[in-house]
Amino acid sequence: MKRVVIAGLGDVGVLTAIKLAKHADVVGISAKPGLVSGQELGWRLARPDDWARHNWIPFGRFRGLDKVRTVHGTITGLDTEARTVAVALPDGSTTDVPYDALVIATGVTNGFWRQPVFETAAQIGDGLRAPHEKLSVAESVIVVGGGAAAVSSAAQIATAWPGKRVELYFPGDRALAGHHPRTWAKVRSRLNEAGVVLRPGHRAELAPGFTGDTLTDDPVRWSTGQEPSTADAVLWAIGRVRPNTSWLPAEMLDDGGFVRVTPELQVPGHPEIFAVGDVAATDPLRSSARNRADGLVARNVLASFDGKPLKKYRPPTRRWGSVLGIQPDGLEVFAPNGRAFRFPAWTFERVLMPWIVRWGIYRGIRPCRQPWESRR
């Protein structure tokens, strides 16, 4: 049986591993002891326990990963001639993991919520609580950024703590520039209902090297000429993502450090290496992370073993999906054309998560206490 190594077990890596597990010898490498999703930042900040119940899941709970061997460590290098991935282990030793096919799904670094560092379950729990506790005592919050992470954070914070003053600053005339205008019109109405103060036309003045990897409380200065703005807590969701590709040869990367791929999600010159998710330079939106390309890349890996034709990934032209996350009245999902459809609140816990997500998408997740609950 052929060996497939999945480098990175985030959202896309886990799904790819599940789809390959019945057809290949799969090894997954992760700096975390489970799936720690990079999605739904606002929900994570406002209600970390609820977020974690669905988005921080130890690998042993996934039935679809029962045949997958996971290596808890950080990837340090790739030898394309020997076809091995070098991994640094917690005890300070290193190991080389051989592969017949490699799927690069190491994602990106973005703010304090998406970091590639090695972590234990206890450290992940602490990382969830700390920003929530800082926001909970703040009387005023500024959110800087115009993407979905910034918009959802402003909405979720305002909804969770109605007494706070929450302001959303973004550089253009509207936020969610990558979404259909109908999406922004609907979301703007939601933000107004939640009491979020919208501040368009504000571009932050950033110190050299600043990436927004922590909550701050210093005044925010604007390169667009407005007076500085102050709040007890400032959340930076400015989209300064950095691909987790320092372990890869430079010739595999584009000018931004993302992995170059063909339409079949193969790395040029290396037909045994594939890339998928936020790390893959598929299109300007790097949309394979959100469009179920895990199924396509898994199919193409198996097809490459059998000498069969590979399918091409066709990216959408606009972003789509949930923007605000689960709200008290339900979950709203936006199509690429900006039309919204709603899951009522009662369906989220009774239908959507247990049946569509846990069984339909992840193929079964065992019930279990959260990793940090025993410490309470």
Side-chain angles (χ1 to χ4, degrees):
M1 184 176 285
K2 296 286 189 178
R3 163 75 62 85
V4 181
V5 170
I6 312 291
L9 289 176
D11 297 283
V12 177
V14 165
L15 289 169
T16 302
I18 288 172
K19 288 179 172 60
L20 286 168
K22 292 184 179 180
H23 309 284
D25 173 22
V26 180
V27 178
I29 305 170
S30 174
K32 319 298 182 189
L35 170 63
V36 183
S37 176
Q39 304 302 309
E40 304 288 2
L41 174 62
W43 190 20
R44 169 177 172 154
L45 292 171
R47 292 175 287 161
D49 288 343
D50 292 339
W51 178 91
R53 190 164 61 252
H54 300 295
N55 294 283
W56 158 211
I57 306 170
F59 295 133
R61 291 182 57 195
F62 290 95
R63 298 180 188 275
L65 294 181
D66 285 350
K67 295 183 178 181
V68 175
R69 180 167 70 90
T70 58
V71 179
H72 190 192
T74 53
I75 303 174
T76 58
L78 171 66
D79 187 332
T80 57
E81 291 188 5
R83 295 194 179 186
T84 59
V85 176
V87 183
L89 301 175
D91 61 6
S93 65
T94 60
T95 186
D96 290 332
V97 182
Y99 63 85
D100 295 299
L102 171 66
V103 178
I104 301 169
T106 44
V108 296
T109 296
N110 187 13
F112 55 81
W113 59 94
R114 297 182 73 178
Q115 293 286 329
V117 297
F118 180 91
E119 286 185 304
T120 64
Q123 290 169 328
I124 292 169
D126 291 342
L128 289 177
R129 290 195 193 92
H132 169 79
E133 290 172 356
K134 185 169 184 177
L135 289 170
S136 70
V137 299
E139 294 184 3
S140 57
V141 177
I142 285 175
V143 181
V144 184
V151 170
S152 71
S153 295
Q156 291 277 358
I157 292 168
T159 302
W161 295 290
K164 294 187 190 301
R165 179 173 178 81
V166 181
E167 298 176 273
L168 174 64
Y169 291 80
F170 47 93
D173 294 332
R174 69 179 183 93
L176 302 179
H179 292 71
H180 195 282
R182 288 195 196 99
T183 302
W184 170 238
K186 182 69 172 179
V187 169
R188 180 180 57 199
S189 175
R190 287 286 190 171
L191 291 169
N192 288 333
E193 291 172 4
V196 176
V197 179
L198 303 181
R199 304 291 191 189
H202 286 70
R203 185 175 296 277
E205 185 177 285
L206 305 176
F210 180 76
T211 55
D213 287 351
T214 184
L215 291 171
T216 62
D217 55 13
D218 295 327
V220 181
R221 303 184 183 279
W222 309 105
S223 63
T224 38
Q226 297 90 346
E227 290 296 315
S229 304
T230 60
D232 295 329
V234 180
L235 170 64
W236 299 86
I238 51 179
R240 289 207 163 183
V241 301
R242 289 93 70 199
N244 298 323
T245 55
S246 61
W247 57 283
L248 290 170
E251 60 268 20
M252 287 188 179
L253 311 178
D254 67 8
D255 292 342
F258 297 90
V259 182
R260 294 186 295 115
V261 291
T262 68
E264 295 77 16
L265 303 182
Q266 286 177 303
V267 174
H270 298 277
E272 75 284 359
I273 302 179
F274 298 77
V276 67
D278 286 321
V279 77
T282 51
D283 60 283
L285 298 178
R286 297 189 305 282
S287 60
S288 68
R290 290 160 292 278
N291 288 280
R292 301 310 308 274
D294 51 279
L296 185 143
V297 76
R299 180 200 178 280
N300 283 354
V301 167
L302 297 175
S304 71
F305 289 153
D306 296 333
K308 296 179 179 179
L310 277 58
K311 289 190 174 182
K312 294 182 178 181
Y313 173 70
R314 292 179 172 81
T317 57
R318 293 188 183 273
R319 297 190 186 277
W320 67 279
S322 167
V323 174
L324 300 179
I326 181 66
Q327 297 285 306
D329 59 352
L331 177 69
E332 208 162 31
V333 178
F334 294 89
N337 65 3
R339 302 294 185 188
F341 54 96
R342 174 181 298 281
F343 294 92
W346 69 267
T347 66
F348 185 79
E349 293 286 356
R350 298 182 188 178
V351 179
L352 180 62
M353 295 309 298
W355 296 108
I356 297 177
V357 175
R358 296 193 173 203
W359 278 108
I361 295 178
Y362 286 115
R363 300 184 183 177
I365 297 178
R366 298 178 178 91
C368 183
R369 291 170 63 89
Q370 285 301 117
W372 67 83
E373 284 184 347
S374 61
R375 299 169 58 219
R376 293 183 177 178

